[in-house]
Amino acid sequence: MWEAGSSRNLDITFQECNSMIPYLPFLMGNQFDIQAYADKYPTRTKIIRLLALAHHCHGRNDDRELEALKIAYKEAKKGKDVQLFATVVEKINGRLSPEYDMDEDWCNEVIRNWEENRVRLGEEASKCQDDYEKGLAYAEDDTKAACKKAANMFYMHGEADAARVWYLAAIRYCRVEVEYWEMFMRFVLLFIEWGNFPRAQYTAIEGLKHKHDFNMDSFTENTLHSTIGLTSIRYRSFTHAALRFLQTGKEVGNQFSMILADHDIATYGALCTLATFEQEELQDCIFENKDFQSYLDSMIEVKELLHDFCSRDYSSVFRHLANLREWLLFDIHFFDRFEELHEKIRNKAIVQYVRPFSVIDLKTMAEIFNTSVEDLKKELVTLILDDQIKAKIDSIENVLHVRTDDTIANFKKLLQRCSEIERDARTILLFNAVFNYPYVHNEE
């Protein structure tokens, strides 16, 4: 597991950072394993996600809040960000045992070591830059390494603004495309961590526009697609988000978990697709998409949800969605989008269920959709008023009468038949003209 305090991680890449993250299911039915969930992410991302989970559990009398804060406390002390550690302690607010109180000695030691190193790092990087300007042959690689080292150290200590400045400086000295795009992705990470989604989306889109100019590698291209998908969710552009996640190649896997783990890509992409795509499109977009299937293998709950939706097993569909609610209502990016997408998926399922029938027993339908007859009637009224269902509700008999309007379909069939007759007539006339063989003879 990556630890922010180790010197090895000063030059760590996204791929290396996440290569040792274990695969363990964190959602088994409706049981949400916070530790297994946290282990999906590297240290700093882990702490930020746990803080978000605790925040959304607060006030719900939910034991998971303190469980998340316990894990966050231990992880924070593995790093070097005193401010992040203080935030965790503030959230705990004395509700745990004394071992989870503020550790002043640890904070002072980290601050003292950092004050000694920050000046030296800046001086080393500045000296390398001066050597580069003087044209010394060795200076370019040294300058790039010094700027990158300074940027990573500032980032580790929670000084994101200073880290951004040094990452920008490092980019100037990147002559190898892979190194350039590695630094580029650091900017995207910073913007998302700050919650600056407009800037993150703009940066990602601009990067894809210039991918041929700087020979962008496939890993970076696919991570940018998933980044744009994430920012599109924030803008409630769910169709665009679905398309971007579906474009994400399987080589990313869990190597981008500083922002999105593989199960995030699978879940976000699948729910956005279910909410916005027609059922006929799901086969091509998901089930024949081998790259996206590799992500679904990391989240079996979502994979089964998709199969049940397409096979019209709606009872199972909403059981899976109820299980996912145990996680997504507390997810840092999805907490305020899940219910909206859940409603869209539910409406689509109701429309899909009604379509083949002319008369439907509402009691049976209510059991399938796990609701009461009265609540189901309210949902149906909304869909009827929105013209998504053409039907009438018989409240006395608790029956739904679906109106089958075949006028348009019959008219299309008529037009098709007319076209066929016209085609046959033209064929006969052409045959007659070429072979001079009339089909109608005048009898004398």
Side-chain angles (χ1 to χ4, degrees):
M1 183 60 64
W2 178 61
E3 295 184 9
S6 66
S7 59
R8 164 73 181 89
N9 292 300
L10 294 177
D11 297 316
I12 202 162
T13 64
F14 280 95
Q15 294 96 325
E16 292 171 331
C17 174
N18 301 286
S19 61
M20 294 180 289
I21 292 177
Y23 173 73
L24 290 172
F26 64 89
L27 190 66
M28 300 294 290
N30 62 354
Q31 300 301 311
F32 179 39
D33 187 336
I34 295 179
Q35 183 66 65
Y37 168 75
D39 287 342
K40 295 283 188 178
Y41 304 95
T43 302
R44 185 174 180 84
T45 307
K46 181 186 301 186
I47 298 168
I48 293 172
R49 282 184 170 260
L50 288 170
L51 283 172
L53 193 154
H55 173 74
H56 297 303
C57 286
H58 186 69
R60 296 172 178 259
N61 193 25
D62 195 326
D63 293 338
R64 288 177 294 185
E65 177 188 2
L66 293 179
E67 184 182 351
L69 291 174
K70 281 183 180 180
I71 301 170
Y73 183 95
K74 295 175 182 177
E75 292 295 329
K77 291 193 72 173
K78 294 178 183 179
K80 302 295 182 182
D81 190 339
V82 173
Q83 185 58 49
L84 189 60
F85 174 72
T87 301
V88 174
V89 174
E90 181 183 358
K91 292 288 185 181
I92 293 174
N93 194 26
R95 291 178 291 170
L96 296 173
S97 61
E99 65 179 305
Y100 294 99
D101 290 344
M102 173 60 74
D103 190 338
E104 297 287 352
D105 294 337
W106 179 85
C107 293
N108 292 333
E109 182 183 358
V110 171
I111 293 172
R112 183 174 57 256
N113 292 336
W114 175 227
E115 290 299 330
E116 293 173 358
N117 290 325
R118 66 182 300 165
V119 176
R120 179 179 55 79
L121 284 169
E123 290 175 348
E124 287 178 359
S126 297
K127 181 181 182 301
C128 290
Q129 287 177 311
D130 291 339
D131 291 343
Y132 176 80
E133 296 297 333
K134 293 175 183 177
L136 298 178
Y138 66 86
E140 183 174 323
D141 287 340
D142 286 349
T143 304
K144 176 182 64 181
C147 291
K148 185 177 178 181
K149 179 179 179 180
N152 286 335
M153 286 295 290
F154 276 102
Y155 175 73
M156 263 190 258
H157 286 82
E159 298 189 29
D161 286 328
R164 182 180 62 84
V165 172
W166 285 112
Y167 281 133
L168 186 60
I171 284 180
R172 291 180 55 197
Y173 306 101
C174 290
R175 297 293 180 265
V176 179
E177 287 86 353
V178 173
E179 294 178 345
Y180 173 86
W181 290 116
E182 170 68 18
M183 292 297 99
F184 182 88
M185 288 306 302
R186 293 286 174 172
F187 279 97
V188 177
L189 170 64
L190 288 175
F191 290 138
I192 290 180
E193 188 172 308
W194 291 341
N196 191 344
F197 291 99
R199 189 66 180 172
Q201 186 176 66
Y202 173 80
T203 304
I205 291 173
E206 287 299 307
L208 288 173
K209 284 182 181 178
H210 298 285
K211 64 180 181 179
H212 298 299
D213 299 337
F214 297 94
N215 295 323
M216 180 185 291
D217 57 285
S218 60
F219 174 81
T220 301
E221 181 178 355
N222 284 296
T223 53
L224 289 179
H225 281 306
S226 62
T227 300
I228 296 171
L230 174 61
T231 57
S232 297
I233 289 175
R234 301 312 306 160
Y235 291 125
R236 288 186 165 86
S237 180
F238 299 124
T239 302
H240 190 206
L243 290 170
R244 291 292 185 170
F245 284 123
L246 292 172
Q247 284 180 271
T248 303
K250 63 183 178 182
E251 62 266 35
V252 175
N254 204 45
Q255 300 180 63
F256 192 48
S257 62
M258 292 177 77
I259 296 177
L260 291 171
D262 50 2
H263 65 267
D264 293 320
I265 296 173
T267 306
Y268 297 173
L271 293 184
C272 288
T273 302
L274 274 182
T276 57
F277 284 34
E278 295 300 325
Q279 185 180 6
E280 295 77 16
E281 299 174 297
L282 295 180
Q283 183 66 32
D284 294 332
C285 293
I286 291 183
F287 298 113
E288 295 183 8
N289 185 336
K290 293 182 180 179
D291 286 338
F292 195 71
Q293 283 293 315
S294 68
Y295 291 106
L296 291 177
D297 289 337
S298 69
M299 198 64 193
I300 302 302
E301 191 84 39
V302 175
K303 190 172 187 177
E304 292 177 353
L305 164 66
L306 290 167
H307 282 286
D308 289 340
F309 186 89
C310 290
S311 61
R312 301 175 185 270
D313 186 357
Y314 299 116
S315 296
S316 183
V317 165
F318 294 109
R319 184 174 63 254
H320 290 308
L321 285 173
N323 293 339
L324 289 172
R325 180 184 275 112
E326 295 298 315
W327 157 42
L328 292 175
L329 284 185
F330 313 106
D331 182 74
I332 189 171
H333 299 303
F334 224 74
F335 69 96
D336 58 348
R337 298 292 183 266
F338 176 76
E339 293 297 355
E340 183 176 350
L341 286 172
H342 183 280
E343 183 180 357
K344 289 178 179 291
I345 294 170
R346 186 175 179 84
N347 288 344
K348 184 168 289 187
I350 291 175
V351 172
Q352 189 171 285
Y353 177 85
V354 166
R355 190 173 294 162
F357 301 105
S358 57
V359 180
I360 300 172
D361 179 25
L362 294 182
K363 293 180 180 178
T364 302
M365 186 176 177
E367 290 178 4
I368 292 173
F369 283 87
N370 193 27
T371 187
S372 66
V373 173
E374 294 304 316
D375 288 339
L376 177 61
K377 287 179 183 178
K378 293 176 182 178
E379 293 183 84
L380 289 170
V381 167
T382 301
L383 293 173
I384 291 170
L385 292 176
D386 287 343
D387 204 30
Q388 295 188 51
I389 295 176
K390 296 182 182 296
K392 290 183 178 180
I393 299 173
D394 185 342
S395 295
I396 298 176
E397 299 294 333
N398 283 329
V399 168
L400 182 71
H401 294 278
V402 183
R403 290 181 292 175
T404 55
D405 188 358
D406 296 330
T407 304
I408 296 178
N410 290 335
F411 186 71
K412 288 182 179 179
K413 290 180 181 179
L414 178 61
L415 288 177
Q416 182 180 358
R417 182 57 184 153
C418 289
S419 298
E420 292 172 355
I421 293 173
E422 181 183 7
R423 183 195 61 205
D424 293 342
R426 288 180 181 277
T427 302
I428 292 173
L429 291 173
L430 179 62
F431 189 94
N432 184 38
V434 172
F435 294 100
N436 194 23
Y437 184 78
Y439 278 84
V440 180
H441 299 276
N442 294 326
E443 295 183 5
E444 297 182 358

